[in-house]
Amino acid sequence: MSDDTTDLSDETISPGMGPPRGAIKLKLAMELSRWAGSAQSFRAFFPAPIKGEGSYHNVYTPLQIRQARLRMMGIEHEPQRPLGLMPPIIYCRMAKGGVGKTTIAANIASCMAMQGHRVLMIDADPQASLTSLFGIDWTSEKIRHIGHALRDHEQGRPVVFDESILRPIYPDGMLDLLASDITLANIESWLSTIMNREAVVERLFKAYVELWSAYDVIVIDSAPGSSQLSNALMYAAKRVLAVVMLDGQSIKAMEVLAHNLHELNRAYPELRATVHLVANGYDARQTTCQASLEILRAAYPGMIDPCIIPRYASFARQVSLYSDAESGPILEREPNSPAAKAIIDLTRSLVGFFDVKLAEQIPVVPDSTRARRKG
């Protein structure tokens, strides 16, 4: 694994210190806001940083980043996304486990929220790894998951999206999670009885579109392999983010996923579902990694994200060995690490590819340039 030892003293905010989850310090806030000016001008531009029990200087929440980025675009009051407009969906899927799919899903969702986007995560994996990574112990808590919502809707019952099903991870609605647990596996037998089951998730999205339209993006973590639920999620998302570890087994699994996508498009020609690949686990010391990358580029031209994710030990440290409450994505746990920088770069690339906007707004000039004009 790559040596990514890092000094955590500058940016890390440890659990229980006071600031809310997702709050970041000055250096990272400037980076994620794309601020090109000085730290002094950044402080002056922002609202007052958070203060808690003690001193938390230059600490900013995702909501404050959002408000400031909108001001950089000349927007003083947050516009409402059009009701009825579904946000982009980033559906993370792979035909095998162990490729880092949940790690990518969790980290890009967290990073987008810290950049000021309102993000909803959906854990669609009965293993509930995404749920655990964000500190929820699904073995002891009562979980209402996407399976419950689908069944209630299909059986004509209203779906109540309270905090038992939509769990706030970062405050102010900046990062929410529709959690999962092992009982989600039971949805497969029920789905086999549903007419037009491929469209079951899309029907739920359409029925509650005003709820989903409050978010700038939805990030879904799917179970490995192929299932009726994973196909229904792919039908609703239209675009798949395939995470491919750079080894032979993962490349073969990518062939399975590509075939699955082809079969869905053949059954529903109007769907035109597509795939975008993230190459994960690159290690320059292993010749198989470069060979695998070249095979992928030849097999899927123009589909591989330019940001290749190296193999970092930091990713293994995201999940605490002692308590789910101490787990968290890389920008929370090791924000100065090379792994965090790789995630920031990947997230920015995916924001562009999936057309993720900030409150449906698109900056027309660089953020810091607009800010200097206003100043």
Side-chain angles (χ1 to χ4, degrees), residues 67-126:
Q67 292 169 340
R69 290 193 66 195
L70 288 170
R71 288 181 63 204
M72 293 174 195
M73 290 183 257
I75 301 171
E76 295 296 333
H77 302 286
E78 178 170 337
Q80 293 295 316
R81 292 187 77 256
L83 293 177
L85 178 66
M86 278 294 294
I89 300 172
I90 302 177
Y91 177 38
C92 298
R93 184 178 172 187
M94 195 53 198
K96 71 178 291 292
V99 297
K101 173 180 54 60
T102 298
T103 289
I104 296 299
N107 278 283
I108 63 172
S110 172
C111 188
M112 286 183 189
M114 290 180 182
Q115 289 178 355
H117 296 97
R118 294 191 185 276
V119 182
L120 171 64
M121 300 179 293
I122 299 178
D123 192 346
D125 185 349

Side-chain angles (χ1 to χ4, degrees), residues 111-186:
C111 188
M112 286 183 189
M114 290 180 182
Q115 289 178 355
H117 296 97
R118 294 191 185 276
V119 182
L120 171 64
M121 300 179 293
I122 299 178
D123 192 346
D125 185 349
Q127 296 181 40
S129 299
L130 185 70
T131 297
S132 296
L133 183 57
F134 283 95
I136 298 171
D137 183 0
W138 58 268
T139 64
S140 62
E141 294 191 34
K142 183 176 177 58
I143 300 291
R144 283 186 54 78
H145 48 60
I146 184 72
H148 295 119
L150 291 170
R151 185 176 301 204
D152 284 350
H153 177 61
E154 291 293 315
Q155 295 177 350
R157 296 190 295 269
V159 183
V160 180
F161 289 97
D162 56 18
E163 288 194 6
S164 71
I165 190 167
L166 278 182
R167 294 169 176 252
I169 303 299
Y170 295 168
D172 309 306
M174 296 303 296
L175 183 64
D176 294 338
L177 170 65
L178 208 167
S180 180
D181 67 12
I182 193 63
T183 65
L184 181 59
N186 300 334

Side-chain angles (χ1 to χ4, degrees), residues 254 275-278 297 299-305 353:
M254 183 61 223
V275 65
H276 188 67
L277 282 69
V278 172
R297 284 172 172 159
Y300 307 98
M303 301 181 192
I304 302 175
D305 197 275
F353 180 81

Side-chain angles (χ1 to χ4, degrees), residues 18-343:
R21 187 167 189 177
I24 53 179
K25 292 187 178 180
L26 176 63
K27 181 180 177 182
L28 186 57
M30 292 175 64
E31 165 75 6
L32 296 182
S33 299
R34 294 180 176 267
W35 188 269
S38 67
Q40 182 178 2
S41 65
F42 185 79
R43 293 189 192 99
F45 183 77
F46 262 76
I50 303 169
K51 296 189 182 296
E53 296 178 4
S55 177
Y56 303 104
H57 299 296
N58 303 321
V59 179
Y60 304 91
T61 67
L63 179 60
Q64 287 175 307
I65 300 288
R66 179 183 185 85
Q67 292 169 340
R69 290 193 66 195
L70 288 170
R71 288 181 63 204
M72 293 174 195
M73 290 183 257
I75 301 171
E76 295 296 333
H77 302 286
E78 178 170 337
Q80 293 295 316
R81 292 187 77 256
L83 293 177
L85 178 66
M86 278 294 294
I89 300 172
I90 302 177
Y91 177 38
C92 298
R93 184 178 172 187
M94 195 53 198
K96 71 178 291 292
V99 297
K101 173 180 54 60
T102 298
T103 289
I104 296 299
N107 278 283
I108 63 172
S110 172
C111 188
M112 286 183 189
M114 290 180 182
Q115 289 178 355
H117 296 97
R118 294 191 185 276
V119 182
L120 171 64
M121 300 179 293
I122 299 178
D123 192 346
D125 185 349
Q127 296 181 40
S129 299
L130 185 70
T131 297
S132 296
L133 183 57
F134 283 95
I136 298 171
D137 183 0
W138 58 268
T139 64
S140 62
E141 294 191 34
K142 183 176 177 58
I143 300 291
R144 283 186 54 78
H145 48 60
I146 184 72
H148 295 119
L150 291 170
R151 185 176 301 204
D152 284 350
H153 177 61
E154 291 293 315
Q155 295 177 350
R157 296 190 295 269
V159 183
V160 180
F161 289 97
D162 56 18
E163 288 194 6
S164 71
I165 190 167
L166 278 182
R167 294 169 176 252
I169 303 299
Y170 295 168
D172 309 306
M174 296 303 296
L175 183 64
D176 294 338
L177 170 65
L178 208 167
S180 180
D181 67 12
I182 193 63
T183 65
L184 181 59
N186 300 334
I187 199 71
E188 289 299 306
S189 58
W190 172 76
L191 278 172
S192 66
T193 68
I194 300 299
M195 295 292 293
N196 193 18
R197 66 184 66 93
E198 286 82 5
V200 66
V201 174
E202 185 164 89
R203 292 196 291 269
L204 178 70
F205 283 165
K206 287 181 176 178
Y208 293 92
V209 66
E210 291 187 6
L211 171 74
W212 318 115
S213 66
Y215 298 96
D216 295 317
V217 61
I218 297 174
V219 178
I220 304 175
D221 183 35
S222 175
S226 181
S227 67
Q228 294 179 92
L229 178 57
S230 62
N231 284 337
L233 288 164
M234 187 160 62
Y235 183 97
K238 310 294 190 294
R239 285 190 286 185
V240 175
L241 183 66
V243 180
V244 186
M245 193 67 72
L246 293 173
D247 60 54
Q249 290 299 319
S250 296
I251 290 176
K252 291 178 181 178
M254 183 61 223
E255 294 174 5
V256 174
L257 177 57
H259 177 73
N260 187 213
L261 190 70
H262 172 74
E263 289 297 307
L264 193 65
N265 280 328
R266 189 169 69 171
Y268 301 93
E270 75 286 355
L271 189 63
R272 295 192 293 274
T274 59
V275 65
H276 188 67
L277 282 69
V278 172
N280 189 31
Y282 181 78
D283 187 340
R285 296 170 297 183
Q286 295 186 6
T287 57
T288 55
C289 283
Q290 185 61 43
S292 297
L293 188 56
E294 293 306 316
I295 291 171
L296 284 177
R297 284 172 172 159
Y300 307 98
M303 301 181 192
I304 302 175
D305 197 275
C307 296
I308 310 300
I309 304 300
R311 184 175 299 173
Y312 287 125
S314 297
F315 290 128
R317 294 194 291 266
Q318 293 176 117
V319 178
S320 171
L321 297 175
Y322 307 104
S323 170
D324 283 341
E326 297 177 3
S327 299
I330 202 71
L331 285 178
E332 292 184 21
R333 293 179 63 83
E334 300 185 20
N336 286 337
S337 65
K341 180 62 169 63
I343 288 298

